[in-house]
């Protein structure tokens, strides 16, 4: 479990950097730039996480492409990511369709209605989905999965990356007005960022749903030895979720409103059930796809991909 401890420690260091350095950074930047305090604190945490990640990847021998999940040839990687993107969009549209059929969503009055506005919405949210997917999958199902799998096996890698994946979704954006910023505001910002964990029962449904999603992504990573499909699935899911949030909101008076989480009005018991239902067929699809690719490579006399050779060693 040392590998998991390293990555967990990295998260703790990044959060501590927010508490310690957000105020000094704000005092330096605020006289020249009108950046909100919370935005500066978030960037401090991201910078600490990035620098720590680079150092940790080198320390644990994770800085090569295969360890980060990018071991496949570029053409194969793009093909698998694209296929998974379609699969992610279709499966997430399925659960959105169920929400609509159950009367859980209502159209927002300020939702974009023109073709140009809808096209802009689709494009910007697609870019956001890919940005989130690339960052999170490289960190979690890339480096972290590889480090834990080497030390403790695939099962531990799948479960522990899913646990951290779920937890990080409850880091909230906490705003402090400029006239209330003090030398202790970094600590206040950290407390506000983590306030959701003070009420675990209120986020239990969303946490379990996100944990299940993390397990599915971990199983796909284990089946394929790459994060290409993980990025595609993740980006597709986030894309549909972000667009849905812009177009519709949860109906608080719906008889089955409890199946949508109060945390974000989307993930919850329904998404958990849908994820569990899809987990086995998605996993089997990628196991079969990986096996077929291995047979084709063997038929051509090609050597196994790097991740396959590592498992067989």
């Amino acid at each position: 479990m040392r590998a998991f401890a390293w990555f967990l420690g990295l998260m703790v260091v990044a959060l501590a950097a927010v508490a310690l350095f957000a105020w000094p950074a704000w005092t330096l930047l605020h006289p020249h730039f009108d950046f909100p305090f919370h935005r500066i604190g978030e960037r401090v945490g991201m910078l600490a996480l990035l620098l720590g990640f680079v150092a940790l990847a080198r320390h644990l021998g994770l800085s090569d492409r295969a360890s980060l999940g990018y071991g496949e040839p570029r053409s194969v990687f793009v093909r698998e990511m694209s296929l998974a993107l379609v699969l992610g969009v279709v499966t997430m549209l399925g659960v959105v369709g169920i929400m609509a059929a159950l009367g859980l969503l209502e159209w927002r009055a300020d939702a974009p209605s023109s073709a140009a506005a809808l096209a802009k919405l689709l494009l910007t949210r697609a870019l956001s989905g890919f940005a989130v997917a690339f960052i999170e999958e490289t960190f979690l199902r890339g480096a972290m999965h590889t480090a834990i799998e080497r030390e403790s096996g695939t099962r531990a890698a799948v479960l522990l990356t899913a646990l951290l994946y779920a937890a990080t979704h409850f880091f909230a954006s906490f705003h402090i007005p400029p006239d209330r910023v003090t030398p202790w505001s970094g600590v206040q910002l950290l407390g506000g960022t983590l306030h959701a964990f003070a009420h675990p029962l209120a986020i239990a449904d969303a946490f379990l749903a996100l944990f299940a999603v993390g397990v599915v992504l971990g199983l796909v990573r284990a089946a394929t030895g790459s994060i290409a499909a993980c990025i595609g699935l993740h980006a597709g899911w986030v894309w549909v979720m972000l667009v849905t949030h812009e177009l519709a909101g949860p109906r608080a008076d719906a008889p089955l409103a409890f199946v949508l989480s109060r945390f974000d009005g989307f993930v919850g018991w329904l998404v958990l059930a849908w994820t569990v239902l899809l987990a086995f067929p998605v996993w089997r699809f990628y196991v079969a796809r990986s096996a077929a690719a291995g047979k084709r490579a063997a038929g051509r006399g090609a050597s196994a991909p790097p991740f396959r050779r590592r498992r067989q060693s």
Side-chain angles (χ1 to χ4, degrees):
M1 304 291 275
R2 286 177 298 177
F4 177 68
W6 273 111
F7 281 90
L8 187 61
L10 176 57
M11 296 296 299
V12 172
V13 168
L15 292 171
V18 173
L20 294 173
F21 301 116
W23 181 76
W26 186 82
T27 59
L28 289 173
L29 296 173
H30 186 66
H32 310 287
F33 305 97
D34 190 23
F35 295 145
F37 181 78
H38 72 277
R39 187 66 54 79
I40 293 177
E42 290 170 357
R43 297 302 182 268
V44 168
M46 290 179 182
L47 179 60
L49 187 64
L50 175 61
L51 295 176
F53 176 74
V54 172
L56 183 59
R58 291 177 177 175
H59 175 71
L60 297 179
L62 304 170
S63 55
D64 59 286
R65 288 171 55 87
S67 294
L68 293 174
Y70 294 90
E72 291 178 318
R74 182 178 301 177
S75 60
V76 176
F77 191 95
V78 172
R79 183 190 67 210
E80 294 302 311
M81 183 177 66
S82 301
L83 173 63
L85 175 66
V86 175
L87 184 58
V89 168
V90 170
T91 52
M92 187 56 73
L93 283 175
V95 75
V96 171
I98 294 173
M99 291 177 185
L102 294 176
L104 300 174
L105 301 176
E106 58 183 355
W107 195 262
R108 294 188 185 277
D110 59 348
S113 55
S114 68
L118 286 172
K120 181 180 178 181
L121 173 64
L122 290 172
L123 177 60
T124 57
R125 296 306 179 261
L127 294 175
S128 296
F130 269 109
V132 169
F134 270 107
I135 294 170
E136 294 187 1
E137 295 308 315
T138 301
F139 184 91
L140 292 166
R141 255 68 62 174
M144 186 176 174
H145 182 104
T146 299
I148 297 174
E149 187 177 48
R150 288 175 182 173
E151 180 184 274
S152 305
T154 300
R155 181 180 299 178
V158 170
L159 295 177
L160 292 176
T161 54
L163 183 65
L164 190 58
Y165 169 79
T168 55
H169 281 76
F170 298 95
F171 292 173
S173 182
F174 183 74
H175 296 190
I176 300 176
D179 59 344
R180 299 182 63 182
V181 173
T182 72
W184 290 100
S185 292
V187 177
Q188 295 172 345
L189 179 62
L190 177 60
T193 300
L194 301 176
H195 82 276
F197 296 100
H199 308 283
L201 293 181
I203 62 172
D205 54 348
F207 187 94
L208 290 174
L210 290 165
F211 178 77
V213 170
V215 169
V216 172
L217 290 171
L219 290 173
V220 172
R221 166 68 163 90
T224 63
S226 164
I227 63 170
C230 299
I231 290 174
L233 288 168
H234 197 158
W237 292 334
V238 172
W239 186 15
V240 173
M241 284 181 60
L242 292 177
V243 172
T244 301
H245 275 305
E246 294 289 337
L247 299 179
R251 281 187 55 200
D253 60 343
L256 296 176
F258 69 92
V259 302
L260 301 185
S261 174
R262 288 175 293 174
F263 172 70
D264 68 349
F266 194 97
V267 295
W269 300 120
L270 178 59
V271 172
L272 172 61
W274 185 249
T275 304
V276 171
L277 182 66
L278 291 177
F280 183 75
V282 169
W283 173 70
R284 285 298 307 166
F285 171 77
Y286 278 105
V287 168
R289 189 169 178 80
S290 181
K295 289 181 180 179
R296 288 195 298 270
R300 293 192 299 266
S303 60
F307 62 87
R308 294 301 179 200
R309 291 198 299 268
R310 185 170 64 247
R311 288 183 183 179
Q312 293 168 0
S313 60

